[in-house]
Amino acid sequence: LPQSRLLRCYDLSSGDVVSEAAFRSPDHRMLDHELRISPDNALVAVGCAGSQVKLFTVPSLEPAGVLDVGGNPLALRWSADSRLLAVACEEPDGVDVWEVPSRRLRHRLQSAQAQRCHDLCFTSDGALLAASSRGRLIVLWDLLTEPPSQRALFRGHEVTTLAFSPDDQALYSGSNDGVLAVWDVTPRKESTLAKLPREQVGKLSYAPHGDLLAVNGADGSVRLFNVAEEILVATLPISAAAGTRGGPITFSPDGRLLIVGSHDEAVAVDVVSREERRPLASHDGPIHDIAVSPDSNVVYTVGEDANLCVTDLNSGKLLKRERNPFFGEALYAVACSRDGALIAAGGKQMGL
């Protein structure tokens, strides 16, 4: 009862007041939107002005401690084991995670994406914490990492409520556009596909169709892996392999060819026959990046010599060579628009 500055506990059977606690200080008045009972029914947490969360025993409502949080509480949520209490704060934007038995602040989760959170939700094991943001995002924190890692799920509308499924595999969200959404939040586990010589993986490229992963290793070889079966399919006979040393590598959009950048030239390899085609455009120095047109007919390469080379992928003929106008500095990245109409290339210092 915020207006009366009273917290009351009622017996549901009789409707009688069992106990009540008074909030006498106007500076620490109750906020009218957050009151949460711990799952073990031992404590109730109340959000208060003055950047505080007050704890009371249940059902006697005896004072059990005060948590000084990062700002006025907007949302509270207990973990399933009642050990953790998450508090979304108004200013600065973020979430405090408290270990309630010790009254110790465990994490102060700051994120530009967690703006004025509507709701919070723990997985059953307390490993993941989800926060809905007025910035139209859901922020997920992994509390088992140190510091906690985070990732954002973009919804496009303000998310007002959250709930994890009992098996923690899915997160349900409700938003102000009337949409109930379900998100796959299954933890991704790392597995080792291969251990390459010299302990360094250079560049990777995933085939646009199928399960092939190409790896340009630091030992100068190019390997094809079947990711689904987790096996090495082939080691490609690249004539310039001694000069590749982890250089750029990419599949053509149609998946027929693999383009490999060596020390000073690019070569194309037929993915099916594993045969190397004629060399493509050459550079006066290492090639740093490769892009292929959407129709798989043109390849673009950039390198240390500050040149952008445009080459016909079928004939190997150089169509154009364009030098970086920004003081002739090396070009390190190139990308082709989806419609093939624009090429973007950039270096370290000046521009795109």
Side-chain angles (χ1 to χ4, degrees):
L1 307 173
Q3 300 302 323
S4 304
R5 298 182 188 171
L6 289 176
L7 172 65
R8 281 182 179 166
C9 179
Y10 289 86
D11 184 296
L12 283 180
S13 300
S14 64
D16 295 335
V17 176
V18 177
S19 56
E20 68 178 28
F23 288 69
R24 305 189 185 282
S25 171
D27 295 332
H28 295 153
R29 68 188 185 280
M30 283 181 292
L31 300 177
D32 60 4
H33 47 260
E34 277 310 311
L35 178 149
R36 296 279 180 176
I37 300 175
S38 61
D40 62 4
N41 293 316
L43 294 172
V44 58
V46 182
C48 300
S51 303
Q52 287 190 343
V53 173
K54 293 192 174 184
L55 302 175
F56 299 86
T57 59
V58 175
S60 63
L61 296 186
E62 294 293 329
V66 176
L67 308 179
D68 292 313
V69 296
N72 282 345
L74 293 174
L76 308 175
R77 186 62 67 105
W78 292 89
S79 61
D81 61 4
S82 301
R83 294 186 59 82
L84 300 179
L85 178 67
V87 184
C89 302
E90 184 175 10
E91 290 184 0
D93 291 322
V95 178
D96 286 355
V97 180
W98 290 80
E99 288 184 355
V100 177
S102 63
R103 308 296 193 266
R104 182 176 72 89
L105 178 63
R106 179 173 172 180
H107 301 294
R108 178 151 285 171
L109 306 173
Q110 298 292 333
S111 173
Q113 298 166 326
Q115 301 173 2
R116 297 180 63 85
C117 297
H118 287 287
D119 198 10
L120 300 166
C121 191
F122 282 101
T123 51
S124 60
D125 60 1
L128 278 182
L129 174 65
S132 65
S133 166
R134 295 184 186 179
R136 302 181 178 183
L137 293 170
I138 300 170
V139 183
L140 284 175
W141 280 283
D142 185 345
L143 301 183
L144 298 182
T145 61
E146 190 59 47
S149 59
Q150 64 172 287
R151 58 190 172 111
L153 309 174
F154 179 71
R155 175 62 190 87
H157 292 268
E158 286 190 15
V159 177
T160 55
T161 186
L162 297 170
F164 279 106
S165 61
D167 61 3
D168 297 332
Q169 302 298 300
L171 174 67
Y172 293 86
S173 67
S175 53
N176 62 4
D177 62 344
V179 172
L180 174 65
V182 58
W183 307 83
D184 178 9
V185 292
T186 307
R188 273 39 173 183
K189 296 181 179 179
E190 178 183 302
S191 62
T192 299
L193 180 61
K195 185 70 170 66
L196 301 189
R198 299 184 58 168
E199 301 182 353
Q200 183 177 343
V201 175
K203 300 293 184 180
L204 304 174
S205 181
Y206 207 108
H209 313 291
D211 298 313
L212 284 183
L213 177 71
V215 181
N216 199 357
D219 61 344
S221 64
V222 177
R223 297 173 174 86
L224 286 178
F225 290 92
N226 184 308
V227 177
E229 299 179 10
E230 298 188 359
I231 59 172
L232 175 65
V233 175
T235 299
L236 300 180
I238 308 297
S239 60
T244 60
R245 303 297 181 191
I249 187 170
T250 188
F251 283 94
S252 59
D254 60 10
R256 294 184 302 109
L257 298 175
L258 182 66
I259 320 301
V260 183
S262 68
H263 177 70
D264 56 6
E265 68 180 18
V267 295
V269 180
D270 189 291
V271 174
V272 176
S273 68
R274 315 284 196 250
E275 293 180 356
E276 182 181 331
R277 291 190 175 187
R278 63 179 62 84
L280 304 174
S282 61
H283 287 256
D284 296 326
I287 294 176
H288 291 314
D289 201 12
I290 301 171
V292 183
S293 62
D295 60 8
S296 299
N297 289 327
V298 180
V299 62
Y300 305 89
T301 56
V302 294
E304 190 68 28
D305 61 357
N307 285 325
L308 164 66
C309 292
V310 184
T311 308
D312 186 292
L313 193 51
N314 298 304
S315 67
K317 180 182 177 181
L318 178 66
L319 303 176
K320 189 171 185 178
R321 189 188 301 271
E322 188 78 22
R323 188 167 175 79
N324 184 5
F326 294 103
F327 305 104
E329 71 162 10
L331 291 170
Y332 285 88
V334 62
C336 183
S337 62
R338 289 187 178 185
D339 59 5
L342 291 174
I343 294 296
K348 271 188 176 180
Q349 303 296 329
M350 294 301 297
L352 186 68

